[in-house]
């Protein structure tokens, strides 16, 4: 099979994980890297054995139009990179979270890709994992009965911060968009500033009519990174996205899914051990679900496991939570009419490590950076 040609745009911490994945798959080859930081560019070029190195997207696209472009710049530069790649004829583009601060910027990326026929994927998200996708298919097929309820129990800024993981999981597992948001926020100073950090509780009303309460104020001394290293450190009875039918419960928490089906003779839920299909790609890293789904979409036109639309919905929901809280918990209908609404991501996401005071060292970039979620 002809290998798909891949370019990485922005080869910092996360970009290097994309580079690792695409240079390890047997059916893709990493042919170019565009990276603003010249020292890092040289280091990752050596590390991945890539000679086509560019300091900006315009000069890369003059020489090379790859089949796939993974746009992993900080959020501030995602729009220009996505639009330039799409206009140049790149077949499949992925970006990462959050894709924009302003809704109209997210809209523009999606519209340009649509007009050019570009497949626009959403990046490194837990919902793209094979077993999450398979569980969603089972729910849709009715394997666990009709879904009648749901609840989100997450940490301080999980919904309004990055946000994307939880919102994408809710929309996928419920197989429904969010129609309306009512939210209460705290503390006041956070509710009324421009940033995405806020504690809030509230209710989503899904398009399918189900009301999903959300609790975004768990102050848990054990943060996610620690949990990932040692899963026993988190109180799993409290955290997660639960959805249920009359006799089943599905609990999502990042890459973990617990399923219960039926009851024992004391009326307690019985754990259900799912048999997921063996997946050819599980030996590769965390973002393999999303990258494989983009590769398939480019080759066969199949549906993406996570799309640009999914990333936009997450921003829109986060903005809706903030607006509802600011306006005194009034119901906010989606989609929002005012597309100039925005929510500023944390600086590390917006401008990246170099400009937010946490640059990745060159020795780390040159070595085998294991990084996020591996
Ligand atoms: N989905 C996830 O789980 C996840 C995890 C981590 C980061 N992210 C997102 O990925 C993005 C990048 O994060 P990171 O941690 O890799 O940041 P980083 O600062 O480590 O790397 C970003 C790199 O992009 C380069 N760059 C900046 N502007 C550029 C441009 N216009 N063209 C080419 N290169 C450019 C920088 O020089 C830097 O090397 C952020 O938006 C972040 O929110 C998502």
């Amino acid at each position: 099979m002809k290998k798909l040609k891949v370019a990485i745009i922005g080869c910092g911490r996360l970009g290097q994980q994309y580079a690792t994945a695409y240079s390890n798959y047997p059916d893709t080859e990493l042919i170019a890297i565009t990276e603003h930081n010249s020292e890092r560019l040289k280091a990752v070029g050596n590390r991945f054995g890539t000679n086509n190195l560019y300091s900006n997207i315009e000069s890369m696209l003059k020489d090379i139009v790859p089949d796939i472009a993974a746009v992993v710049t900080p959020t501030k530069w995602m729009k220009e990179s996505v639009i330039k790649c799409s206009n140049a004829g790149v077949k499949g583009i992925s970006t990462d979270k959050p894709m924009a601060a302003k809704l109209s910027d997210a809209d523009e990326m999606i519209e340009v890709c649509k007009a050019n026929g570009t497949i626009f994927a959403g990046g490194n998200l837990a919902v793209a994992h094979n077993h999450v996708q398979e569980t969603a298919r089972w729910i849709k097929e009715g394997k666990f009965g009709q879904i009648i309820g749901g609840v989100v129990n997450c940490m301080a800024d999980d919904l309004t911060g990055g946000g994307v993981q939880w919102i994408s999981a809710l929309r996928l597992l419920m197989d429904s968009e969010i129609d309306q948001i009512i939210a209460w926020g705290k503390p006041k100073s956070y509710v009324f500033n421009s940033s995405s950090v806020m504690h809030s509780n509230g209710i989503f009303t899904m398009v399918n009519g189900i009301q999903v309460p959300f609790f975004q104020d768990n102050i848990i001394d054990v943060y996610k990174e620690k949990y990932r290293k040692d899963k026993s450190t988190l109180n799993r009875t409290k955290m997660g996205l639960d959805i249920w039918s009359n006799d089943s419960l599905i609990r999502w928490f990042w890459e973990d899914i617990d399923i219960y089906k039926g009851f024992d003779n004391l009326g307690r839920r019985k754990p259900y051990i799912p048999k997921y299909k063996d997946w050819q790609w599980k030996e590769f890293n965390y973002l393999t679900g999303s990258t494989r789904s983009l590769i398939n979409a480019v080759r066969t036109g199949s549906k993406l496991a996570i799309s640009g639309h999914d990333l936009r919905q997450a921003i829109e929901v986060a903005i809706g939570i903030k607006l509802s809280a600011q306006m005194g918990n009034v119901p906010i209908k989606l989609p929002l009419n005012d597309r100039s609404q925005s929510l500023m991501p944390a600086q590390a996401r917006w401008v990246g490590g170099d400009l937010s005071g946490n640059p990745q060292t060159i020795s780390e970039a040159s070595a085998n950076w294991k990084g996020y979620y591996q």
Side-chain angles (χ1 to χ4, degrees):
M1 192 187 283
K2 215 173 134 218
K3 290 189 177 200
L4 292 177
K5 296 184 187 328
V6 181
I8 308 292
I9 323 299
C11 204
R13 294 173 171 97
L14 189 58
Q16 288 153 36
Q17 289 177 60
Y18 278 92
T20 304
Y22 282 120
S23 46
N24 272 297
Y25 298 142
D27 52 355
T28 58
E29 62 179 321
L30 181 61
I31 56 152
I33 296 176
T34 293
E35 164 55 53
H36 265 185
N37 179 315
S38 56
E39 279 186 83
R40 193 170 300 123
L41 178 64
K42 208 166 134 206
V44 291
N46 282 336
R47 174 170 157 198
F48 295 105
T50 312
N51 295 324
N52 301 316
L53 303 176
Y54 299 90
S55 62
N56 62 71
I57 185 85
E58 292 83 2
S59 28
M60 182 194 93
L61 290 169
K62 259 188 221 148
D63 284 359
I64 292 172
V65 177
D67 298 308
I68 290 178
V71 173
V72 210
T73 64
T75 300
K76 189 174 179 184
W77 294 281
M78 284 177 179
K79 177 175 138 182
E80 64 163 28
S81 306
V82 167
I83 289 179
K84 283 179 179 157
C85 285
S86 174
N87 285 338
V90 176
K91 294 188 192 112
I93 303 174
S94 67
T95 188
D96 226 285
K97 73 177 172 80
M99 74 196 285
K102 209 197 295 180
L103 274 178
S104 57
D105 287 340
D107 290 344
E108 203 181 328
M109 290 152 96
I110 291 173
E111 279 153 21
V112 169
C113 286
K114 193 171 169 206
N116 288 328
T118 315
I119 296 164
F120 186 28
N124 180 28
L125 273 286
V127 287
H129 285 208
N130 200 46
H131 61 288
V132 183
Q133 291 284 317
E134 201 168 355
T135 305
R137 273 194 297 277
W138 289 338
I139 296 170
K140 204 170 170 174
E141 287 160 15
K143 187 172 175 146
F144 303 109
Q146 193 184 342
I147 299 303
I148 55 170
V151 64
V152 173
N153 250 303
C154 59
M155 276 186 269
D157 64 340
D158 270 338
L159 296 176
T160 45
V164 183
Q165 302 273 14
W166 292 80
I167 302 299
S168 303
L170 175 64
R171 293 173 46 253
L172 175 74
L173 297 176
M174 278 261 173
D175 191 25
S176 183
E177 293 288 353
I178 295 169
D179 179 49
Q180 182 183 281
I181 301 164
I182 299 177
W184 290 260
K186 61 183 182 183
K188 227 175 175 172
S189 55
Y190 283 64
V191 173
F192 288 95
N193 72 12
S194 62
S195 96
S196 58
V197 179
M198 183 176 84
H199 298 213
S200 66
N201 297 327
I203 304 168
F204 296 132
T205 305
M206 310 298 293
V207 169
N208 65 13
I210 298 176
Q211 293 211 316
V212 179
F214 61 88
F215 303 96
Q216 200 202 195
D217 65 352
N218 288 292
I219 314 283
I220 292 189
D221 55 347
V222 182
Y223 198 58
K224 279 170 277 191
E225 299 305 325
K226 199 165 165 196
Y227 159 79
R228 287 199 179 91
K229 290 193 189 106
D230 177 2
K231 295 196 174 184
S232 67
T233 56
L234 194 68
N235 177 1
R236 287 289 309 283
T237 55
K238 198 163 178 219
M239 293 278 297
L241 155 67
D242 287 2
I243 67 167
W244 57 85
S245 64
N246 280 331
D247 80 336
S248 301
L249 179 134
I250 294 105
R251 174 168 296 158
W252 170 93
F253 187 78
W254 250 252
E255 57 263 57
D256 291 344
I257 292 205
D258 297 334
I259 304 179
Y260 300 84
K261 191 166 163 50
F263 302 91
D264 65 15
N265 49 15
L266 292 174
R268 295 171 303 197
R269 291 191 187 280
K270 281 203 300 200
Y272 172 90
I273 311 298
K275 285 196 189 72
Y276 295 113
K277 265 188 236 117
D278 223 14
W279 200 43
Q280 186 187 355
W281 307 104
K282 61 178 180 290
E283 68 273 28
F284 294 104
N285 67 17
Y286 180 89
L287 43 72
T288 296
S290 54
T291 46
R292 291 307 315 172
S293 110
L294 175 57
I295 292 165
N296 285 346
V298 169
R299 282 209 193 277
T300 69
S302 58
K303 191 169 179 283
L304 290 166
I306 179 88
S307 65
H309 168 77
D310 294 323
L311 295 194
R312 173 176 61 182
Q313 293 312 98
I315 301 173
E316 190 146 358
V317 171
I319 292 173
I321 292 173
K322 186 113 175 167
L323 280 178
S324 177
Q326 286 175 343
M327 293 165 74
N329 52 274
V330 296
I332 299 288
K333 267 294 226 195
L334 299 189
L336 296 169
N337 288 328
D338 179 1
R339 309 305 288 177
S340 70
Q341 291 285 355
S342 66
L343 195 55
M344 189 44 83
Q347 282 297 294
R349 296 181 191 279
W350 182 241
V351 292
D354 287 358
L355 298 179
S356 67
N358 182 25
Q360 186 195 34
T361 63
I362 298 308
S363 78
E364 195 178 71
S366 322
N368 194 16
W369 152 254
K370 291 277 183 217
Y372 304 119
Y373 312 138
Q374 296 197 48

